[in-house]
Amino acid sequence: MNCETQQEVDELWGKLSASKADEQCGWLKDKLRPVVADHPEHLGQVDGDKNPKKAGAAVQAMLQMKKIDIKGLQKRFDAA
């Protein structure tokens, strides 16, 4: 699922998430299907950047997250 804003990420995460203990990197186990991804469109912009250092920093930040935090991704991207 693509989300445009953090609010969309938060709303979908809250509605769909069935097992927070098993979730990582925007992937969650929902109540109806085994696994769905809840990714903001912004993620594709930062992890696909032409600058590998910036893209790598965003990916490393994402790997440490459960629910994706758009501001957190952007902060790590900008700092690289």
Side-chain angles (χ1 to χ4, degrees):
M1 296 181 165
N2 286 334
C3 302
E4 292 184 23
T5 66
Q6 186 68 47
Q7 181 179 352
E8 282 185 81
V9 171
D10 295 345
E11 287 176 11
L12 285 172
W13 195 268
K15 290 177 182 176
L16 295 176
S17 179
S19 173
K20 291 176 181 36
D22 297 328
E23 299 161 357
Q24 189 67 29
C25 303
W27 288 90
L28 59 87
K29 291 186 179 183
D30 83 12
K31 299 164 187 152
L32 304 174
R33 292 167 289 199
V35 179
V36 295
D38 185 12
H39 289 270
E41 291 183 18
H42 182 75
L43 179 61
Q45 295 168 5
V46 294
D47 77 352
D49 193 83
K50 292 179 183 179
N51 181 328
K53 184 176 179 182
K54 288 184 169 284
V59 169
Q60 289 304 310
M62 180 197 65
L63 292 173
Q64 297 172 12
M65 297 175 181
K66 289 189 179 257
K67 177 180 71 176
I68 300 299
D69 172 13
I70 294 171
K71 286 183 183 178
L73 287 173
Q74 189 65 49
K75 184 177 178 181
R76 290 284 296 273
F77 178 83
D78 291 341

